[in-house]
Amino acid sequence: MTEVKAGDTVSIHYKGTLADGSVFDSSEGRDPLQFTVGTGQIIPGLDSAIPGMKVGDEKTVLVPADKAYGPVQPQARQPVPRDQFPPDIPLEVGRQLQVQTQDGQTLQVVIAEIGDEDVILDANHPLAGKDLTFAISLVAIG
């Protein structure tokens, strides 16, 4: 039976959980995730767990934060004066917003804190700083 190697296109079913057991993502009820191994299309810690698997193999992989979405970057949290927000945007912690950077790129941010003068926007990935566990099943190679 063929084993996966770098450069192969594979399809996997997966369930991703956090340390407390809560599910943050799953392919259940959807088509399997398809990607090319070793090309950086998925997080490094999961990508490196696939080579050597055969169709039908299942495994559970612990991916440390530095091999997933990286550590929380303090500089990705920025204060913005409250008066710079349009009045029709409700300010609530956890609300996701899209902002435009100075170079014109769109960035996803979350309202992390609301103060009297400033609102703290956080551009870190929601899973930054977290170790992730994936239960994976190799569905197909090619």
Side-chain angles (χ1 to χ4, degrees):
M1 197 161 214
T2 305
E3 289 187 1
V4 175
K5 63 188 178 317
D8 287 343
T9 297
V10 298
S11 297
I12 63 168
H13 273 297
Y14 66 92
K15 179 165 84 174
T17 56
L18 300 173
D20 65 4
S22 61
V23 176
F24 65 84
D25 195 12
S26 172
S27 64
E28 186 178 337
R30 302 189 316 224
D31 289 337
L33 175 65
Q34 186 176 51
F35 61 95
T36 303
V37 176
T39 60
Q41 294 175 329
I42 64 170
I43 59 173
L46 185 55
D47 201 8
S48 66
I50 306 297
M53 290 184 74
K54 300 178 180 114
V55 171
D57 283 356
E58 296 181 356
K59 69 163 77 167
T60 300
V61 181
L62 175 63
V63 179
D66 65 330
K67 301 280 189 218
Y69 294 96
V72 172
Q73 301 290 328
Q75 68 272 21
R77 292 174 56 99
Q78 295 290 321
V80 176
R82 282 183 78 136
D83 61 11
Q84 288 191 16
F85 288 87
D88 61 326
I89 294 181
L91 297 179
E92 46 196 43
V93 172
R95 182 180 182 85
Q96 293 185 340
L97 303 171
Q98 282 189 346
V99 297
Q100 198 164 23
T101 62
Q102 290 177 345
D103 59 5
Q105 293 185 342
T106 301
L107 187 64
Q108 295 280 3
V109 297
V110 172
I111 296 176
E113 297 174 37
I114 302 170
D116 292 335
E117 302 289 322
D118 294 326
V119 175
I120 306 295
L121 298 181
D122 189 346
N124 281 293
H125 188 283
L127 296 173
K130 296 182 180 353
D131 296 335
L132 310 176
T133 300
F134 289 91
I136 56 176
S137 172
L138 185 66
V139 177
I141 302 173

